[in-house]
Amino acid sequence: MKKRKFAFALSGLLALGTILGACGSKDETEEKDTNTGTEETADNFSVAMVTDTGGVDDRSFNQSTWEGIQAFGEENGLEKGDGGIDYLESKSESDYVTNLNNLIRRDFDLIFAVGYALHDAVDEIAGQKPEAQIAIIDEVVDGRDNVASIMFRANEASYLAGVAAALETKSNKIGFIGGMQGAIIGGFQAGFEAGVAAINPDIKVDVEYAESFTDAAKGQQIAKRMYDSGVDIIFHAAGGVGNGLFTEAKERKQKDPNANVWAIGVDRDQYDEGKVNDDTNIVLTSVLKRVDVAAQEVAKLAQEGNFPGGETITYGLKDQGVDLADSRGAITEENLAKIEEYKQQIIDGTVVVPEQPEK
Amino acid sequence: MNKRLINILVPLISIVLGLVIGAIVMAVSGFNPVDGYMALWNGIFMDTYTLGETVRQITPYVFSGLAVAFAFRTGLFNIGVEGQLIMGWLAAAYVGQAFELPAIIHVPLALIAAAVAGALWAFIPGLLKAKLQVHEVIVTIMLNYTALHVANAFIEMISGGGERTDKIHESASLRSEFFESITDYSRMHWGFVLALIAVMVMWFILEKTTRGYELKAVGFNKHASQYAGMNVSKNIILAMVISGAFAGLGGAMEALGTFENMTKLHASTGIGFDGIAVALLGANQPFGVLLGAILFGSLKYGGLNMPSEAGVPTEIVSIVIALIIFFVASGYVIRVALERFGKRKEVK
């Protein structure tokens, strides 16, 4: 019995092999044709990226990076594919190394690794392939001359979001939903809390972490609890978890158009996620992390031969690497002016935004 | 119908069916199926690097498949392989980075720690099942989440608030320069040898020992086994513990081979859940599990190349791979149908 099954499965594998092999050989010539097609654009500087497990359409920083690369591609007339621009999505943590390697083998001149989760993979690959140029976002990889680290002072823009929330709140209760606890999201939390405290030290921010960047159901659950307890503005720094926040806020607004519920988006302008109907939207503003701007800039630097390998570039309010999104009338003119004041003070250095929350 | 003919026909039919339906899905979605399969093939076999990585991908699947299969054979449904694997990963990563020992002690110690951690995590549902008749499916599912968050908390503690544990010391690593040199820096490691040994061990326990016979007997019929004088609750616990140890070792493959550390997990690794499919593909036989893991791991790894080389999006890749596996698994149905059909004819 056992032998039979063994033989059966083995023959299955062999069959799979032969069939796939047949497919392969048939196609070889075709493949070569497409290759020569792309060679005309070989002088172009090609850029690609590897996403973290969030995927390229995470409505957050993976998407934002890709938008930056697309903008770069448009400027230089690059198309998606070899020798142009491309992305690879990672489904699990073990895919990072493979995907980075894949892109290097396809001769991309610059490769973006999006997110701190790719730290180890970048470190490993950079050591093995010293000729590759890799830029990692939201994380610092030390001691590799071929890796540029791109960081954002998200705490500064979060501070402004805190100011906005404290000015706009009616219930004097404000919430914060974090993704995974750690230095990156800690920056958002610290800035946000400091911003709220700057306007009204009596407001205590209700902080809860989802311990995930993907679990939208968890985000909705937390948002529900916060809104139920009287919180009227919630800021999320939790990637896909935030989609649950938007869902909850939109549902409440749909049931009761007078409900005072607001959400503050993160990374990209998340205005579109907050649309209830044509004239109602629950997104107050968004904390922008202009990963797209940074990606585009670094790509440009690398194209000119000035790839900032081994360096850490930090984008803050000053360099417009972080900012608040257009509130589209959700924040009053008067309050916007106040926010602008704080922004100026941060840029001048008179206000120093804490980088990590107090324990 | 001739048995040998069936043996050859069934896998052929099922794989061709899987490939054809997969091709249709790709064609309907506007992608060239030939390019797609070519990319899949290249993703598995193109050069020594992809081959090494494919082996790397297969290795933990062997362990998670064995873990599920072992529990199945003893009448238990261990859905908690995921959690046990995470605990094993954590234990191996910790032992790997916390101690400095000669490799001859360090590697086995890390492996044992992983096996024990996985076994302990499986001991809980085993105990509850044996003593209180709590269904192991519920407990193991819940313990998956517990494991995920416990591991994350531990990583934070060990690393002083960081996102990942330190790299394990070289003395605990399963990787070798030899494999790196012949596979162009792939992450292939010695774990596949351990996986092969594990296959032998499971076969030996189940087929050649009295204890294995008892475990299987309890799985077939608890009451009959009890009547025959076997200690049912002890056997249930033991079955879960052995299953968990296999799972824990699967985690050690990630800790000592693939990653050489452990990063906070946002979600399940999926290896444990895929182990259920691997076990079923392999009909819960140790050698079947090995083949199931080879098929599963190769497709998973090769599939990564499809978006890169053929532009097929990852979602379509998942569907195509799932279809191939679905038809291979349903090959057993085809086989049973064919055999029944043949038998009925003989009777007439």
Side-chain angles (χ1 to χ4, degrees):
Chain A
M1 187 67 190
K2 216 177 324 129
K3 241 184 205 162
R4 194 144 40 94
K5 279 205 174 118
F6 180 77
F8 148 62
L10 196 68
S11 58
L13 268 180
L14 282 175
L16 178 76
T18 40
I19 289 162
L20 285 175
C23 291
S25 53
K26 219 184 288 169
D27 194 46
E28 218 136 302
T29 47
E30 213 172 294
E31 182 70 14
K32 269 175 200 147
D33 288 346
T34 53
N35 273 349
T36 48
T38 51
E39 257 165 40
E40 289 161 27
T41 54
D43 315 338
N44 275 331
F45 188 81
S46 56
V47 184
M49 67 179 265
V50 177
T51 75
D52 68 2
T53 48
V56 79
D57 50 359
D58 63 348
R59 305 177 196 175
S60 188
F61 66 151
N62 283 307
Q63 190 167 342
S64 198
T65 313
W66 179 234
E67 283 165 1
I69 294 176
Q70 277 176 317
F72 177 81
E74 223 159 89
E75 248 171 55
N76 294 283
L78 301 175
E79 281 183 16
K80 189 165 179 278
D82 279 332
I85 55 171
D86 209 350
Y87 64 83
L88 287 183
E89 293 183 286
S90 307
K91 286 203 154 167
S92 76
E93 318 254 327
S94 60
D95 299 346
Y96 298 148
V97 164
T98 307
N99 280 340
L100 285 170
N101 237 320
N102 236 326
L103 292 174
I104 291 172
R105 285 153 166 260
R106 284 168 61 192
D107 280 332
F108 280 98
D109 297 308
L110 173 64
I111 295 159
F112 283 95
V114 186
Y116 65 82
L118 276 81
H119 173 278
D120 289 356
V122 167
D123 193 37
E124 187 173 337
I125 294 289
Q128 289 165 2
K129 308 270 159 100
E131 73 286 354
Q133 292 181 329
I134 307 174
I136 185 164
I137 287 167
D138 263 356
E139 178 65 286
V140 176
V141 174
D142 286 323
R144 299 283 185 201
D145 288 339
N146 54 342
V147 178
S149 309
I150 304 170
M151 297 289 281
F152 294 87
R153 289 191 193 282
N155 55 335
E156 295 182 351
S158 302
Y159 184 92
L160 298 183
V163 169
L167 288 171
E168 289 289 328
T169 180
K170 301 228 162 57
S171 63
N172 278 345
K173 283 183 177 169
I174 294 171
F176 172 84
I177 302 177
M180 308 272 289
Q181 282 201 33
I184 300 285
I185 304 301
F188 286 91
Q189 187 197 333
F192 189 66
E193 286 180 323
V196 170
I199 298 297
N200 184 350
D202 295 335
I203 300 178
K204 197 173 178 309
V205 179
D206 185 347
V207 175
E208 187 167 342
Y209 278 83
E211 290 306 325
S212 161
F213 282 116
T214 48
D215 190 348
K218 187 84 185 286
Q220 185 164 4
Q221 198 186 327
I222 298 173
K224 184 174 177 340
R225 181 191 63 72
M226 286 183 178
Y227 284 135
D228 279 343
S229 73
V231 168
D232 59 353
I233 301 175
I234 301 177
F235 171 41
H236 88 91
V241 172
N243 294 333
L245 162 64
F246 295 127
T247 311
E248 180 66 22
K250 281 193 285 190
E251 274 177 11
R252 278 167 189 258
K253 200 77 180 176
Q254 231 153 21
K255 272 186 214 148
D256 173 14
N258 297 320
N260 193 35
V261 288
W262 293 101
I264 299 177
V266 79
D267 292 346
R268 293 168 63 246
D269 185 352
Q270 295 194 301
Y271 184 77
D272 291 340
E273 324 299 333
K275 207 167 153 187
V276 181
N277 55 43
D278 282 343
D279 18 63
T280 325
N281 194 303
I282 50 86
V283 171
L284 188 66
T285 178
S286 298
V287 168
L288 298 181
K289 203 148 102 178
R290 300 302 303 270
V291 187
D292 51 341
V293 172
Q296 215 177 331
E297 263 186 38
V298 171
K300 228 174 268 173
L301 280 175
Q303 188 184 27
E304 290 157 3
N306 301 320
F307 178 68
E311 294 173 30
T312 302
I313 316 172
T314 308
Y315 289 89
L317 276 179
K318 207 194 273 180
D319 344 83
Q320 286 158 354
V322 298
D323 208 343
L324 275 194
D326 184 359
S327 73
R328 296 173 179 87
I331 301 175
T332 61
E333 286 297 325
E334 188 192 343
N335 288 342
L336 278 178
K338 270 192 197 155
I339 295 169
E340 194 57 35
E341 264 172 48
Y342 279 100
K343 183 176 172 182
Q344 209 48 52
Q345 285 177 350
I346 295 172
I347 293 175
D348 297 343
T350 42
V351 169
V352 178
V353 183
E355 296 194 352
Q356 287 305 316
E358 288 167 33
K359 293 254 160 154
Chain B
M1 212 180 284
N2 187 337
K3 274 238 164 88
R4 182 156 288 177
L5 190 66
I6 294 180
N7 278 345
I8 299 167
L9 264 184
V10 171
L12 266 180
I13 294 172
S14 47
I15 285 172
V16 168
L17 267 177
L19 288 172
V20 167
I21 308 276
I24 292 173
V25 169
M26 277 194 268
V28 167
S29 325
F31 302 99
N32 185 345
V34 182
D35 282 356
Y37 284 134
M38 163 102 177
L40 178 65
W41 174 262
N42 282 345
I44 305 169
F45 297 108
M46 188 162 61
D47 49 30
T48 53
Y49 176 81
T50 55
L51 265 177
E53 281 284 313
T54 304
V55 171
R56 195 266 310 153
Q57 181 91 23
I58 291 167
T59 308
Y61 281 134
V62 176
F63 283 100
S64 67
L66 287 178
V68 176
F70 194 90
F72 265 139
R73 289 292 292 276
T74 54
L76 296 165
F77 197 2
N78 183 5
I79 307 192
V81 170
E82 182 71 38
Q84 292 141 23
L85 187 136
I86 288 172
M87 293 321 275
W89 185 349
L90 178 70
Y94 177 73
V95 171
Q97 62 130 36
F99 305 106
E100 273 187 89
L101 297 161
I104 193 91
I105 306 170
H106 206 174
V107 173
L109 187 70
L111 289 172
I112 290 169
V116 169
L120 279 176
W121 211 248
F123 173 75
I124 303 166
L127 185 72
L128 289 171
K129 165 95 176 179
K131 302 291 179 201
L132 299 169
Q133 325 300 325
V134 184
H135 205 287
E136 75 277 9
V137 167
I138 297 166
V139 183
T140 49
I141 288 181
M142 289 304 144
L143 279 174
N144 284 339
Y145 295 104
T146 319
L148 185 70
H149 294 294
V150 166
N152 284 353
F154 259 99
I155 292 168
E156 194 162 313
M157 210 173 76
I158 297 170
S159 61
E163 297 295 333
R164 56 186 74 87
T165 64
D166 291 337
K167 280 249 156 185
I168 56 168
H169 293 292
E170 215 164 290
S171 54
S173 177
L174 284 169
R175 289 205 209 177
S176 78
E177 279 174 21
F178 170 66
F179 285 138
E180 276 183 7
S181 65
I182 61 165
T183 63
D184 189 19
Y185 290 114
S186 86
R187 289 172 289 171
M188 183 176 165
H189 52 83
W190 283 108
F192 78 96
V193 177
L194 297 170
L196 293 177
I197 295 172
V199 169
M200 301 300 294
V201 167
M202 168 160 162
W203 171 80
F204 186 79
I205 294 177
L206 280 180
E207 308 297 339
K208 295 287 161 201
T209 65
T210 325
R211 178 62 68 196
Y213 184 80
E214 276 193 22
L215 289 172
K216 280 190 293 183
V218 171
F220 279 128
N221 191 331
K222 250 195 329 203
H223 305 293
S225 313
Q226 192 164 22
Y227 194 66
M230 296 175 194
N231 186 340
V232 170
S233 41
K234 192 174 141 198
N235 277 316
I236 288 176
I237 295 174
L238 187 67
M240 277 310 278
V241 163
I242 295 176
S243 170
F246 278 126
L249 284 172
M253 296 304 108
E254 301 297 80
L256 309 179
T258 306
F259 295 100
E260 300 195 300
N261 71 354
M262 186 169 187
T263 310
K264 273 192 188 174
L265 297 166
H266 305 173
S268 306
T269 63
I271 300 168
F273 296 122
D274 290 342
I276 299 171
V278 169
L280 292 175
L281 271 177
N284 298 324
Q285 304 287 336
F287 299 102
V289 165
L290 179 62
L291 294 173
I294 290 173
L295 178 69
F296 211 90
S298 305
L299 288 176
K300 272 258 154 139
Y301 186 75
L304 274 182
N305 195 37
M306 289 171 75
S308 182
E309 202 180 298
V312 184
T314 43
E315 291 81 5
I316 304 284
V317 173
S318 301
I319 295 173
V320 170
I321 289 175
L323 279 169
I324 295 174
I325 289 167
F326 171 80
F327 278 99
V328 172
S330 61
Y332 289 95
V333 178
I334 299 172
R335 173 194 201 84
V336 168
L338 282 176
E339 277 177 356
R340 286 258 165 87
F341 186 67
K343 260 182 203 160
R344 218 173 272 167
K345 262 190 176 169
E346 275 166 32
V347 172
K348 272 183 188 171

